[in-house]
Amino acid sequence: MDTLQLDLVLAAMAHPSRRRMLDLVSSMPGMSVTAVASHFDVSRIAVMKHLRILETAGLITSRKKGRVRHLFFNPIPIQLVYDRWTTQYAGFWAGRMADLKTRIEGRAGTEELKSA
Amino acid sequence: MDTLQLDLVLAAMAHPSRRRMLDLVSSMPGMSVTAVASHFDVSRIAVMKHLRILETAGLITSRKKGRVRHLFFNPIPIQLVYDRWTTQYAGFWAGRMADLKTRIEGRAGTEELKSA
DNA sequence: ACAACATGTAACCCCAAGGTTACATATCAG
DNA sequence: CTGATATGTAACCTTGGGGTTACATGTTGT
């Protein structure tokens, strides 16, 4: 997963309303834009913009049937984000999950690293 | 994890520079603010603001020794976000995330994780 | 002591994110 | 056909995120 895609996904997830939209769409696959908008106080256009951001990030897909756009949740980008994250900080994760004390003692010497 | 904390963490991670800062601090625990700033084109004040956002989100901690602030990476908030999503979208993950978790917990070294 | 250094605070600027209203198009129901 | 419905586009406004410079404070080394 490239940095651009990662940025799109994280930026999309950063907004509480968009996370709520993901919850909605994932719990009711195929729901319409208007149906989503009915759960929010903001205008339908604002909701549409949020949905576009989510779709650009790949977190939502949509298929138009007649005049209705059906929305579907796609968890793949989130999987990729967390796969990357847990891999990048693998040392910390493993330490936390295995034995916290061991991790701290094992890294104690590195705290005195020069910061040039 | 409450919505406010979740929002802080995701908003903090949404900025590419802040993610790079997490990488830096996690790779060199205890490094100073100036040391972090030296890796970026923007001003030291801008970097300080980013670091404050990261610290407010709980993604880094710091303790001051003399005139130097030493920075430390804290992976716990990411773990909480991870838990939130895996439970919420449990039906979508199938065995995918469970497999990732198994790889981390049962890890023998960071090398095999990077190869994943 | 004092000069150089690391960090902190304050005041300000710019622009994009997030919101709005108004209008346009296309499709379904009667 | 015709009106109601679902979505899309356009133009605009406002707020806050991210950046800057200037200045202040505290600490280290000589």
Side-chain angles (χ1 to χ4, degrees), chain A:
Chain A
M1 172 176 249
D2 55 285
T3 303
L4 177 60
Q5 171 86 5
L6 183 70
D7 206 30
L8 286 177
V9 175
L10 286 174
M13 295 198 304
H15 198 290
S17 296
R18 286 196 286 266
R19 290 198 300 275
R20 276 184 55 209
M21 289 178 193
L22 286 184
D23 295 343
L24 271 173
V25 174
S26 69
S27 66
M28 300 174 104
M31 75 187 302
S32 69
V33 173
T34 303
V36 172
S38 69
H39 290 77
F40 293 84
D41 286 341
V42 298
S43 71
R44 175 185 58 88
I45 284 80
V47 172
M48 270 184 51
K49 289 185 179 179
H50 282 304
L51 290 175
R52 172 170 297 240
I53 291 173
L54 289 170
E55 191 160 5
T56 301
L59 289 163
I60 275 186
T61 60
S62 69
R63 267 195 59 206
K64 195 154 183 182
K65 271 259 179 173
R67 61 181 168 179
V68 178
R69 236 180 95 208
H70 296 279
L71 305 167
F72 300 92
F73 172 61
N74 178 31
I76 300 295
I78 299 183
Q79 290 182 1
L80 296 177
V81 168
Y82 284 106
D83 195 343
R84 178 195 172 110
W85 235 275
T86 51
T87 297
Q88 187 149 6
Y89 302 125
F92 288 92
W93 292 113
R96 288 280 178 184
M97 293 179 184
D99 187 346
L100 183 57
K101 286 180 186 172
T102 300
R103 183 186 74 84
I104 293 175
E105 288 169 7
R107 290 181 172 272
T110 63
E111 292 189 6
E112 309 303 328
L113 281 180
K114 65 294 136 208
S115 48

Side-chain angles (χ1 to χ4, degrees), chain B residues 69-102:
Chain B
R69 240 180 92 207
H70 297 279
L71 305 166
F72 301 92
F73 172 62
N74 177 31
I76 297 295
I78 298 182
Q79 171 72 62
L80 297 177
V81 174
Y82 169 95
D83 288 340
R84 190 264 194 198
W85 250 279
T86 50
T87 55
Q88 185 137 9
Y89 301 131
F92 288 92
W93 304 109
R96 178 78 174 90
M97 294 309 259
D99 176 63
L100 176 61
K101 194 175 182 183
T102 299

Side-chain angles (χ1 to χ4, degrees), chain B residues 1-19:
Chain B
M1 166 175 250
D2 55 288
T3 303
L4 177 59
Q5 170 88 5
L6 183 68
D7 205 32
L8 286 176
V9 175
L10 285 174
M13 294 197 302
H15 198 289
S17 296
R18 286 196 287 265
R19 292 199 299 275

Side-chain angles (χ1 to χ4, degrees), chain B residues 32-34 44-45 48 52 64 67 69:
Chain B
S32 69
V33 172
T34 303
R44 174 184 58 87
I45 285 80
M48 270 183 51
R52 172 169 297 241
K64 198 156 181 180
R67 62 180 169 181
R69 240 180 92 207

